Amino acid sequence: MVDGARIIEYFRGKSILITGSTGFLGKILVEKILRVQPDVNKIYLLVRGIDAKQRVDEEVIGTELFGLLREKHGEEGFQQLVEEKVVALAGDIIYQNLGLETSMLEDLAKCIDVIVNIAATTNFYERYDVSLDVNVMGVKHLCEFAKQCARLKMLMHVSTAYVSGDREGLILEKPINLGESLRQGTYLDVDAELSLVKEAKKELQLNAGNEDDDASRTERKAMKELGIKRARHFGWSNTYVFTKAMGEMILGQLRGDMPVVIIRPSIITSVQADPLPGWMQGTRTIDTLIIGYAKQNLSCFLGDLSMVVDVIPGDMVVNAMMAAMAAHSEEKGVQAVYHCTSSLSNPATYSMLYEAGRRHFYENPRVGENGKVIPTKEMYFFTTITRLHLYMILAYKLPLEILHLVNLLLCGLFSRLYNNMNRKYKFVMLLVDIYGPFAFLKGCYDDMNLERLRLTMKMNTLEDQMFNFDPRTIHWEEYFYRIHIPGVLKYLCK
Ligand SMILES: NC(=O)c1ccc[n+]([C@@H]2O[C@H](COP(=O)([O-])OP(=O)(O)OC[C@H]3O[C@@H](n4cnc5c(N)ncnc54)[C@H](OP(=O)(O)O)[C@@H]3O)[C@@H](O)[C@H]2O)c1
């Protein structure tokens, strides 16, 4: 049984190791722990680069997200709190020792109570080797380290709801077993994938020419393509979700009897309530719609307005994470999976987002450099990928082919123009290929486990309300209109 007061108390005196704190979600977690429980023992932030302390000061603590905490403690008190509680560690989860000195690792192993792995490479079209290093081997290294932590109470791993691929229907909060694949008749062997990458890189290096730049470009392209190819071979649409699924597998395999909690959020959107409504970092796929609409440089979008877009505000994800930590601490052998999603309990649709955008821009018209109001135009939606392909062929591919012919007849007079346009066309088609399937996901995420956790929170105390993670309390149109869209414009379109 958890409630707000118990969650707050849980963090008292704890030493917590967090990865991914310079990212969007990580910052929200660090701020919340410090705000609700200033008597936390230490928060260790594993950050890449030798300038870890500076990165934490500038990219985490120094951001506007910490404004409320600053206000609460006053500048001096805030600095003192940060100095006492926050420790920056220069490290990298791709290494077995997390990139830390042995002595530091040993010291940490003696004191860490909770490990929260938020770090990931979230690029859908990341190099396969990089994705495997961070999203799979990173999990393995943290898991191995966690086993050495004498007083560890919990390892929390942030995954994604989209490890389910493009399955339809109700998707349950079930762990992914080793070898499990989304394509029938295939067995996903993580070690074999690691060997495959090693071999592919060796071959690329053998065949590399003398120019370093060319070789690294060729390797980068080949590694990106290999990621997508392997993902699709096993039934996932991109390298990111595929490697996140493998990360979960590895965790399941190595966890032993450690209490492990896997949090699977859907699309994480701006902070809804505290500490700073609308705050966000990094452009999500749905935000390109808002940005394109704001700048009026996007006349069409891929998506079906009637479809559900599973979104969840960042502060709700963090509240759920903190509740789950308190709930499962020291539960030997437990492996709990939580969908932090909204599609089942309170679905939002693309049309709610679009209408909120229209409302916002009609009420807050943009003014161009010439001082004139920029009229808000309607956006055209391609409701299937096939329709978009057809449009691209007619509007761009055919004229390109004609240009190609003319160019041949005129002995390469338009070669530059043709090559340039062809490259752009290919790039757009690549984006459609990588991000397109994401716009048409029909899965509905069961969040019964989270519901069980919610049921123990009565929400009748201030403490409980501080940890709200019930998407049913969100009025999506109002949230998009009043919080998220202004947030996107403020923090992403600076
Ligand atoms: N954002 C979403 O909509 C969403 C949805 C579902 C699930 N998730 C999951 O939520 C988590 C956080 O997402 P986010 O949006 O906050 O991501 P983000 O903003 O891209 O942040 C990623 C973080 O991981 C760190 N990182 C990457 N590689 C690392 C390495 N080798 N060693 C140590 N740290 C490393 C990054 O550090 P640097 O600053 O050094 O790059 C950064 O702090 C991820 O696990 C993601 O899969 C996100």
Side-chain angles (χ1 to χ4, degrees):
M1 151 114 185
V2 284
D3 57 28
R6 205 187 128 188
I7 301 169
I8 294 171
E9 198 45 39
Y10 177 72
F11 288 93
R12 186 186 299 281
K14 293 278 187 306
S15 293
I16 305 160
L17 173 65
I18 301 177
T19 71
S21 63
T22 52
F24 170 45
L25 188 67
K27 283 189 186 70
I28 307 177
L29 177 66
V30 175
E31 193 277 343
K32 182 94 185 203
I33 298 175
L34 279 175
R35 182 154 44 89
V36 300
Q37 187 46 276
D39 287 331
V40 60
N41 185 39
K42 294 272 182 221
I43 304 180
Y44 294 93
L45 305 180
L46 188 93
V47 172
R48 291 194 282 192
I50 42 165
D51 53 350
K53 166 91 174 71
Q54 192 184 343
R55 286 199 66 194
V56 167
D57 287 346
E58 288 171 6
E59 296 174 41
V60 186
I61 306 298
T63 59
E64 50 264 85
L65 188 72
F66 285 71
L68 183 62
L69 195 63
R70 268 205 157 82
E71 225 171 78
K72 192 176 159 190
H73 291 273
E75 189 56 35
E76 210 175 302
F78 173 75
Q79 291 302 343
Q80 200 182 332
L81 176 77
V82 169
E83 217 146 278
E84 269 175 28
K85 306 294 174 183
V86 180
V87 183
L89 301 170
D92 192 325
I93 59 169
I94 69 168
Y95 303 112
Q96 194 163 14
N97 62 357
L98 310 178
L100 300 170
E101 302 273 333
T102 313
S103 58
M104 168 60 82
L105 215 53
E106 284 170 2
D107 288 348
L108 280 178
K110 284 182 207 143
C111 70
I112 293 293
D113 297 288
V114 179
I115 297 176
V116 188
N117 182 34
I118 303 178
T121 167
T122 54
N123 181 352
F124 286 15
Y125 189 45
E126 181 61 272
R127 294 174 57 131
Y128 195 30
D129 52 346
V130 173
S131 268
L132 281 169
D133 273 350
V134 182
N135 296 350
V136 184
M137 296 309 282
V139 180
K140 179 173 186 262
H141 299 147
L142 274 165
C143 201
E144 285 167 350
F145 169 67
K147 283 182 170 170
Q148 295 164 33
C149 295
R151 41 187 286 181
L152 192 86
K153 297 169 179 64
M154 139 94 34
L155 168 61
M156 175 169 281
H157 171 65
V158 179
S159 184
T160 162
Y162 304 107
V163 289
S164 62
D166 47 13
R167 266 189 238 164
E168 296 188 10
L170 193 66
I171 296 157
L172 302 179
E173 293 161 296
K174 280 195 334 199
I176 305 176
N177 299 318
L178 203 68
E180 208 175 308
S181 150
L182 296 180
R183 198 156 141 234
Q184 258 191 357
T186 56
Y187 178 87
L188 177 47
D189 180 340
V190 178
D191 287 334
E193 292 307 301
L194 292 166
S195 306
L196 182 86
V197 163
K198 223 169 160 185
E199 286 308 310
K201 278 175 84 171
K202 217 189 272 170
E203 206 175 307
L204 282 163
Q205 276 150 17
L206 272 177
N207 297 333
N210 294 331
E211 297 294 325
D212 277 0
D213 268 6
D214 282 352
S216 73
R217 211 175 305 137
T218 308
E219 184 180 286
R220 190 167 64 232
K221 187 166 180 278
M223 281 297 122
K224 285 183 168 195
E225 284 169 0
L226 184 62
I228 293 290
K229 189 173 154 202
R230 296 309 289 168
R232 293 190 176 170
H233 174 72
F234 292 105
W236 280 270
S237 64
N238 62 62
T239 314
Y240 164 60
V241 288
F242 174 48
T243 50
K244 288 294 278 190
M246 282 194 265
E248 282 197 27
M249 276 179 203
I250 288 289
L251 186 57
Q253 183 199 19
L254 297 180
R255 71 191 166 94
D257 64 357
M258 249 189 317
V260 163
V261 173
I262 295 173
I263 299 282
R264 290 187 190 148
S266 51
I267 300 169
I268 309 177
T269 49
S270 60
V271 168
Q272 187 227 3
D274 61 1
L276 186 56
W279 183 84
M280 66 182 315
Q281 176 188 311
T283 310
R284 322 283 122 203
T285 34
I286 60 158
D287 297 330
T288 52
L289 176 65
I290 301 164
I291 296 168
Y293 204 76
K295 295 187 174 168
Q296 285 288 300
N297 60 5
L298 196 67
S299 56
C300 53
F301 201 75
L302 187 62
D304 182 339
L305 287 179
S306 66
M307 281 184 70
V308 169
V309 52
D310 199 315
V311 287
I312 186 87
D315 47 338
M316 279 205 176
V317 177
V318 160
N319 292 345
M321 286 167 70
M322 292 172 76
M325 281 183 227
H328 294 290
S329 189
E330 295 185 72
E331 272 185 7
K332 266 198 163 188
V334 110
Q335 185 187 18
V337 179
Y338 287 102
H339 279 167
C340 239
T341 49
S342 60
S343 50
L344 184 68
S345 50
N346 182 19
T349 58
Y350 280 101
S351 78
M352 289 177 183
L353 179 65
Y354 184 63
E355 288 306 323
R358 272 170 48 144
R359 191 173 150 204
H360 179 91
F361 293 116
Y362 276 119
E363 287 172 17
N364 305 279
R366 287 129 304 142
V367 178
E369 278 171 11
N370 56 5
K372 285 191 179 157
V373 168
I374 304 169
T376 300
K377 292 188 212 120
E378 294 296 316
M379 199 177 272
Y380 181 78
F381 282 84
F382 290 99
T383 51
T384 63
I385 295 182
T386 318
R387 278 191 191 172
L388 177 60
H389 275 165
L390 206 67
Y391 169 77
M392 290 300 290
I393 289 171
L394 293 175
Y396 297 100
K397 188 69 187 161
L398 273 178
L400 253 177
E401 288 307 314
I402 293 169
L403 181 65
H404 186 47
L405 253 169
V406 173
N407 184 44
L408 286 178
L409 290 172
L410 297 179
C411 308
L413 188 65
F414 295 119
S415 288
R416 220 166 165 192
L417 177 68
Y418 171 76
N419 289 338
N420 195 8
M421 287 175 71
N422 196 31
R423 204 176 42 248
K424 283 184 181 158
Y425 175 81
K426 282 188 175 160
F427 180 65
V428 171
M429 294 316 284
L430 177 75
L431 291 183
V432 172
D433 184 41
I434 306 284
Y435 292 93
F438 212 70
F440 298 103
L441 291 181
K442 294 201 178 96
C444 176
Y445 294 91
D446 179 44
D447 61 347
M448 267 306 128
N449 289 345
L450 210 57
E451 177 63 10
R452 252 176 244 127
L453 212 54
R454 276 193 289 260
L455 286 175
T456 70
M457 311 259 298
K458 297 282 173 282
M459 301 313 283
N460 55 1
T461 64
L462 204 62
E463 285 93 344
D464 282 6
Q465 285 154 20
M466 278 166 69
F467 291 94
N468 175 21
F469 50 90
D470 188 349
R472 280 169 302 203
T473 57
I474 305 175
H475 187 293
W476 288 118
E477 286 95 335
E478 286 301 297
Y479 164 73
F480 288 142
Y481 170 68
R482 292 194 192 283
I483 299 173
H484 186 67
I485 292 172
V488 169
L489 299 177
K490 181 167 180 189
Y491 299 106
L492 303 186
C493 295
K494 276 179 187 165

